[in-house]
Amino acid sequence: MAVSKHGEPVELVIGDHSVRVTNPDRVYFPEAGVTKIELVRYYIAVADGLVRALHLRPTTLERWPGGVVEGAQLTQRDGAPGDAFYQKRVPKNAPSYVETARITFPSGRTADEICVTEPAVLAWAANLGTITFHPWPVRRGDVDHPDELRIDLDPQPGTDFADAVTVATETHALLDELGWVGWPKTSGGRGVHVYVRLQPRWTFTEVRQAAIALARELERRRPDLVTTAWWKEQRGEKVFVDFNQNARDRTIASAYSARARAWAPVSTPLGWDELADAEPRDFTVRTVPERFARLGDLWAGIDETAHDLTPLLEWWERDLREHGLEDMPYPPDHPKMVGEPRRVQPSRAKKPH
């Protein structure tokens, strides 16, 4: 009997379920040498934190069945084929313990996405080549009212993680003034994410407006380092606060998700006091399990407080009324929204005669 090139299947018992891992020795992260079975075992090791981050949330799977090998590319939103892809609809023949949640895309179409409720689902998804879990900022019981404000601090060329940390520190101070609790994590790259739990009372449109208002306030406080410019050509060497991550059908890698980079990084929750000395490359599929075992889930208390979005919506109205600051462009694949400015790159816009 021929031996599989990537090892014989492994059966893992996780809770009440048995999960079969095929091709366990396939190298998924070449620089780190991390294999598929190591990724599966990583997700089991941090399951308490990851299930909390994903619990009852519609979740898109970022699948790399062949691993993050050199030259591998993601299938693009415009349809350009790739070696990896985003799985939005629950795969056919999913086991019965994989629950789902129905969401509506901006186009009006619907889909049943996976909805994580227990650790076995993580291992099952990882066996399909899922490297990153992308949850919606809603729960299955109310998929039209987000319960998370997601602040994505994205360093532009010429800036780095240290600059994102500086902006995160400014964000922390702003949240303190509001009396809000923010939860920071590395992005798994050069950025920083800060999450704020919300009362699920507002629409995606309102939460995005609140994110824009917060971003503009950060820009006012640190104009030297922060930008809200949607067009890359206008951002300069600053940290972009990506407000559009709060638009419907936009998702961010969850806490404890691995990222599709060759060194096997993990989007890792940190304490505010850790940020200044943190080095993103220290948080990987191989190092985070020990940290998790030692510290537990630093986001364990994230569901204890849900905030009232009203102050940021008042800032939105103030900026409109007093400063003439209106809406910002949505992502290019999003339907045109009421009140949205033209989606024309400034350098390509027709100049008035």
Side-chain angles (χ1 to χ4, degrees):
M1 186 174 179
V3 177
S4 170
K5 177 182 178 181
H6 300 294
E8 293 302 306
V10 175
E11 294 286 339
L12 300 175
V13 176
I14 306 169
D16 297 328
H17 309 292
S18 178
V19 178
R20 190 169 189 257
V21 180
T22 57
N23 298 309
D25 299 331
R26 181 189 292 275
V27 175
Y28 265 20
F29 300 92
E31 181 180 312
V34 171
T35 62
K36 181 179 182 180
I37 190 64
E38 286 184 272
L39 178 66
V40 173
R41 293 190 187 281
Y42 162 74
Y43 279 132
I44 296 171
V46 300
D48 181 60
L50 183 53
V51 170
R52 180 177 290 108
L54 300 176
H55 190 59
L56 297 181
R57 297 188 184 282
T59 299
T60 299
L61 306 178
E62 184 182 333
R63 293 176 56 184
W64 294 75
V68 192
V69 296
E70 185 176 357
Q73 298 289 329
L74 264 170
T75 298
Q76 299 301 303
R77 289 178 179 269
D78 63 7
D83 311 278
F85 57 95
Y86 291 104
Q87 176 105 40
K88 295 194 173 185
R89 291 172 170 80
V90 64
K92 294 180 179 179
N93 303 318
S96 59
Y97 58 81
V98 177
E99 299 186 22
T100 63
R102 177 158 294 183
I103 49 86
T104 301
F105 298 120
S107 64
R109 298 175 63 193
T110 61
D112 292 322
E113 295 204 336
I114 77 157
C115 190
V116 174
T117 56
E118 57 182 307
V121 181
L122 306 176
W124 164 80
N127 179 58
L128 296 179
T130 299
I131 286 180
T132 308
F133 295 86
H134 294 268
W136 279 50
V138 298
R139 308 275 189 175
R140 180 168 60 187
D142 185 352
V143 295
D144 293 316
H145 296 92
D147 71 341
E148 285 183 343
L149 175 67
R150 297 173 172 181
I151 305 165
D152 181 4
L153 307 177
D154 184 12
Q156 300 303 291
T159 61
D160 56 20
F161 180 75
D163 296 304
V165 168
T166 299
V167 179
T169 301
E170 194 71 53
T171 303
H172 189 202
L174 189 156
L175 295 176
D176 278 349
E177 293 173 21
L178 291 169
W180 289 9
V181 181
W183 302 84
K185 65 183 179 73
T186 64
S187 68
R190 299 188 308 130
V192 175
H193 301 154
V194 181
Y195 283 24
V196 176
R197 276 288 189 269
L198 301 176
Q199 300 166 10
R201 296 165 44 198
W202 294 274
T203 65
F204 278 93
T205 298
E206 290 169 320
V207 173
R208 179 179 172 275
Q209 289 172 346
I212 292 173
L214 183 143
R216 285 169 170 164
E217 182 63 23
L218 288 172
E219 188 175 36
R220 274 189 286 267
R221 296 184 181 199
R222 288 301 304 266
D224 59 314
L225 190 57
V226 176
T227 180
T228 60
W230 173 244
W231 301 105
K232 291 182 179 180
E233 65 186 38
Q234 294 182 321
R235 293 176 188 169
E237 295 185 2
K238 297 182 179 182
V239 175
F240 172 52
V241 185
D242 191 354
F243 50 84
N244 269 331
Q245 294 291 14
N246 295 276
R248 183 185 287 271
D249 194 30
R250 277 302 189 271
T251 58
I252 297 179
S254 74
Y256 301 108
S257 269
R259 304 306 308 274
R261 297 179 174 89
W263 60 92
V266 168
S267 183
T268 306
L270 300 177
W272 283 109
D273 59 350
E274 294 183 287
L275 269 178
D277 297 321
E279 168 49 57
R281 277 184 171 259
D282 289 342
F283 306 109
T284 71
V285 166
R286 284 191 171 145
T287 64
V288 170
E290 184 279 329
R291 171 184 168 86
F292 191 88
R294 177 167 42 89
L295 300 177
D297 180 13
L298 294 189
W299 282 20
I302 194 170
D303 291 318
E304 293 175 3
T305 304
H307 296 292
D308 183 338
L309 195 61
T310 302
L312 291 189
L313 293 176
E314 290 175 347
W315 290 4
W316 166 267
E317 294 295 337
R318 174 205 64 193
D319 285 345
L320 177 63
R321 182 179 61 253
E322 299 180 8
H323 304 293
L325 297 175
E326 299 182 339
D327 204 352
M328 302 283 277
Y330 275 76
D333 59 336
H334 200 286
K336 186 71 174 177
M337 300 294 285
V338 175
E340 180 189 357
R342 294 176 63 205
R343 293 182 198 171
V344 180
Q345 190 173 334
S347 60
R348 296 183 178 180
K350 291 183 179 179
K351 302 295 189 295
H353 295 293

